[in-house]
Amino acid sequence: MSVGFIGAGQLAHALVRGFTAAGVIATHRITASSPDTDLPTVQGLRKLGVNFTTSNKETVSQSDILFLAVKPHIIPFVLDEIGPDIEDRHLIVSCAAGVTIGSIEKKLQQYRPNPKVMRCMTNTPVVVREGATVYATGTHAEVEDGRLLEQLMGSVGYCTEVEEDLIDAVTGLSGSGPAYAFTAVDALADGGVKMGLPRRLAIHLGAQAMLGAAKMLLDSDQHPGQLKDNVCSPGGATIHALHVMESGGFRSLLINAVEASCVRTKELQFLADQEKISPAAIKKTTLDQVMQQPGVTAGAVGVRSQGISMFSSNPRTKKK
Amino acid sequence: VCQRRHIIRMSVGFIGAGQLAHALVKGFTAAGVIATHRITASSPDSELPTVSGLRKMGVNLTISNKETVNKSDVLFLAVKPHIIPFVLDEIGPDIEDRHLIVSCAAGVTISSIEKKLLQYRPFPKVMRCMTNTPVVVREGATVYATGTYAQVEDSQLLEQLMSSVGFCTEVEEDLIDAVTGLSGSGPAYAFTALDALADGGVKMGLPRRLAVRLGAQALLGAAKMLLDSEQHPGQLKDNVCSPGGATIHALHVMESGGFRSLLINAVEASCIRTRELQYLADQERISPAAIKKTTLDQVLQQPGVTVSGGANGNSRSGLSLFNNRGGPSIKKKN
C-alpha cells in the first residue's frame, strides 16, 4: 500500500524515519506534501527518499492511507481542499490533537457517503521506534483498517486501540510526555554538573537512568511504588533525595502537567468546533500557494469575506 | 534459544545476596556473558527474598563469605556501606593474588578498602563502581574507578561485564558520589515520576494500567531519542512544543512549580548524603547497634572466623574497623 502525509513537519518526519527503520514500508511508496518547502524537515524527508510535493491533491492521488499531520487549526482547511479527491480506497488517519472523528466525518460527508476515518494520538519517539500510540476507529472504517494502522504504528512502538473519548487524556500523558522527560533530563544533568560531573556525562547518565527505569517498569508486574521502594535502602542517599522532591510537590507538578495539556487539547477542539477560522490564522503566501495547485479553486477552500468558513454544511466545491 | 557467548571464563562472586547482587546476576545471565554455575553469592541471611531468586537462576548460594572468596576470581562487594569494613575484616586473610575486589558500596572509597586489605597482603587489586538497578533489564548506568594495584586488564574485564548490562565508563573516583546522586538514585526519581504521571492520566479519565503503560513508554522513548541524538535536551523539548499547543501549556505549569529545581535538589541531596555516609564510615568505628546480634553470630560460626578479645563490643566502645594499629581484629583459627 502507499502512504501519504498531508503535512511535512516534525510528525511526518518522525513517522517516516520510524517506518523506514522498521522496514515496514518502502520509501518510494511514501508521499508527503506541504506548501512550505523551507521547513527543515522537508529536506530530511527528501533525503529519506520520500516523494515530496507541494500539492496535497497529488499526495491524495498517490496514497491509500492518508495521514493528516498538520496542526489542528489547519485540518478543516485541508479537508476542504482534498475532500473532492477522496475515493473509496482511502483511509484517512488524523493525528491532530483535539480534532474529533465526528468533525472530520461531517466535513468529508459533503463529498462522499462513507469516508473511512480514524484518529490517532502518537508521539515523537516513533522516530527511534519507541513511540506510544493510541487510535480510535470512525463510523465507516472497517476492522481491517484498524489492523492495518496497528501494524504500521506497532512497528514504531506501542500501539493500542482506545475509545475516542480517552484520546485527549492520552495527549496530555504520552503525547506531551516526551517534553516532560526532556525537561527532567536537562534538570538532572544540571544537578550532576552542580555536583561536579562534566555535562556530556551527566546528560548520558540521566537519560540512561530514565530509560532503564522505564524499561524495568514496562517489563515488570510490580507497582511503580514497589520498584521505588526496592531502590531506597534504609537511611541511604536515595530516600534523602526523594524527600526533597516530595517536599517540593514533585508529583503534583506532573499531575498538573498532564491535566493542563489535556485541558488545552479540549480547548483547541472547542475552538475548532466553532467552525470559523480567522484569515489571521493562515499566512497569505501559504493560501496563495495552495490555491495555485492544480484543481483548487477559492470556493473549494472556502475563503469568504468574513473569514474562512470550515465545516460548512453547504457543498461549495467545484472542480476546475 | 539463548545464545551462550560466555566471554568471561572467570568465576564471579557476590558478597551480599540482596537487590544489587540479584539485579546484576539477572542482567549478566540475560546477556549470556557468564554461566551461572560460575557465580557464587553469600549472605548470612538466607531469608532475603532475593536469595531464592538467585538460587532459581542457578547461582551457588552459601552463607559463608569465605567460600565465595575461595570460589571466585572477581569479587563484588554488594553489601551496604556500613557492612563493608566488617566484611573486609572477615575475608581479608583469604584474598589471594588473583582476586579483583569490586566494591559497589555508595560512598566507600578505594583507599579505605585498600588500607584495610593492606593489612593482609601487599597489593590488593581494588576497583570501585557505582551502578544501578536497571542492570536487571540490561539498561544499567555504571561508572568505575581503578585502584592503585589494579591493572588495565582488570578494568577491561570489569567494563566487559558491566557493558553487557548497560552503559559503562571509567571515571575519576572523585566523581562517583555525584554519579550516585544522578544515575544511582535516578531510577527512584523516575519511578516516582511515572507514578505521578499515571495519576494524572487517571485523573483525566484513563484506566490505571493504560496510564502506567503510556507514561513509561513516553519516558522510555524520550530517553532513547536523547541518547541517540546529538541535540540538546532543550532543543528536543522545543521540537515537541507546537505554538499555543497543549505541551507548552503543560510545561508552563511545571516550570511554575519549580520542577527543574526539585530534580537538581534531588541529585544534590543524594550526593551529599553519600558523602555523609562516607564520612561516618571513615570515623572507623561501627557501633554494635549497627549489626544484628544474630547476623554477627552467624558470621562468627563460619569456619575460620574468630573474634579477638572484645571485638563484639563488650570491652571496647564499638567494633573497630580500619584498624591502623596493626593486627586484624579477626584472626584465623589455627
Side-chain angles (χ1 to χ4, degrees), chain A residues 10 182 186, chain B residues 226 229-241:
Chain A
Q10 295 283 345
F182 297 137
D186 203 7
Chain B
L226 193 44
S229 166
E230 300 286 309
Q231 292 187 307
H232 190 285
Q235 179 65 58
L236 292 173
K237 179 267 284 170
D238 289 355
N239 291 351
V240 306
C241 290

Side-chain angles (χ1 to χ4, degrees), chain A residues 124 130-131 158 166 176 179 182 185-186 194 196 208 213 218 231 235 237-238 240-241 248 250-251 253 257 259 261 264-265, chain B residues 133 139-140 175 185 188 191 195 203 205 213 217 220 222 226 240 244 246-247 249-250 257 259-260 262 266 268 270 273-274:
Chain A
T124 48
E130 288 290 357
Y158 174 69
L166 297 187
S176 296
F182 297 137
V185 175
D186 203 7
K194 178 175 180 180
Q208 185 62 41
L218 288 170
V231 305
T238 306
H240 275 70
F250 179 79
R251 292 174 185 257
L253 295 181
E259 180 180 57
S261 172
R264 177 61 178 171
T265 299
Chain B
T133 48
E139 289 290 356
L175 298 187
S185 297
F191 296 136
D195 205 6
K203 178 174 180 181
R213 185 83 212 246
Q217 185 63 39
L220 189 147
L226 193 44
V240 306
T247 305
H249 275 70
F259 178 79
R260 292 173 184 258
L262 294 181
E268 179 180 59
S270 171
R273 177 61 179 170
T274 300

Side-chain angles (χ1 to χ4, degrees), chain A residues 228-240, chain B residues 19 80-81 106 277:
Chain A
K228 180 266 286 172
D229 290 355
N230 291 351
V231 305
C232 290
S233 45
T238 306
I239 195 71
H240 275 70
Chain B
Q19 295 283 345
K80 307 229 178 351
L277 291 170

Side-chain angles (χ1 to χ4, degrees), chain B residues 18-284:
Chain B
Q19 295 283 345
L20 183 59
H22 184 249
L24 281 171
V25 172
K26 242 181 118 175
F28 292 155
T29 317
V33 72
I34 179 169
T36 37
H37 66 263
R38 289 191 182 280
I39 306 178
T40 310
S42 53
S43 167
D45 182 357
S46 44
E47 301 294 310
L48 289 171
T50 43
V51 166
S52 62
L54 284 163
R55 266 209 188 95
K56 281 193 195 133
M57 286 190 274
V59 164
N60 308 309
L61 264 179
T62 167
I63 47 176
S64 165
N65 289 335
K66 283 172 170 313
E67 188 183 327
T68 299
V69 174
N70 294 336
K71 294 199 145 106
S72 309
D73 305 304
V74 179
L75 211 50
F76 283 95
L77 305 183
V79 291
K80 307 229 178 351
H82 67 282
I83 304 291
I84 291 282
F86 193 57
V87 156
L88 291 175
D89 257 337
E90 185 195 345
I91 65 174
D94 303 292
I95 302 299
E96 308 199 354
D97 281 345
R98 74 178 191 278
H99 283 113
L100 171 63
I101 315 287
V102 181
S103 166
C104 305
V108 178
T109 60
I110 289 175
S111 68
S112 64
I113 299 173
E114 286 178 343
K115 188 169 157 193
K116 190 70 173 156
L117 292 177
L118 281 164
Q119 301 170 31
Y120 303 101
R121 67 183 314 99
F123 308 118
K125 294 193 295 180
V126 178
M127 301 184 68
R128 174 181 177 187
C129 84
M130 169 49 50
T131 183
N132 65 3
T133 48
V135 289
V136 74
V137 291
R138 299 183 61 197
E139 289 290 356
T142 307
V143 303
Y144 68 92
T146 313
T148 322
Y149 311 103
Q151 308 293 324
V152 168
E153 303 83 60
D154 298 315
S155 354
Q156 282 169 350
L157 182 60
L158 182 64
E159 200 160 325
Q160 203 174 16
L161 267 171
M162 301 309 292
S163 297
S164 76
V165 292
F167 173 66
C168 178
T169 191
E170 184 182 9
V171 295
E172 299 90 337
E173 190 184 3
D174 61 12
L175 298 187
I176 294 189
D177 294 336
V179 173
T180 307
L182 176 54
S183 54
S185 297
Y189 315 155
F191 296 136
T192 306
L194 287 166
D195 205 6
L197 285 169
D199 278 346
V202 169
K203 178 174 180 181
M204 306 318 292
L206 300 180
R208 173 68 58 173
R209 279 180 62 116
L210 179 63
V212 172
R213 185 83 212 246
L214 290 173
Q217 185 63 39
L219 286 206
L220 189 147
K224 187 158 202 277
M225 276 179 79
L226 193 44
L227 288 169
D228 283 7
S229 166
E230 300 286 309
Q231 292 187 307
H232 190 285
Q235 179 65 58
L236 292 173
K237 179 267 284 170
D238 289 355
N239 291 351
V240 306
C241 290
S242 45
T247 305
I248 194 71
H249 275 70
L251 282 186
H252 184 195
V253 305
M254 285 165 68
E255 300 284 7
S256 299
F259 178 79
R260 292 173 184 258
S261 185
L262 294 181
L263 287 168
I264 299 176
N265 293 348
V267 175
E268 179 180 59
S270 171
C271 178
I272 287 177
R273 177 61 179 170
T274 300
R275 291 175 182 163
E276 207 169 65
L277 291 170
Q278 176 191 318
Y279 176 75
L280 291 172
D282 285 350
Q283 299 307 300
E284 301 192 2

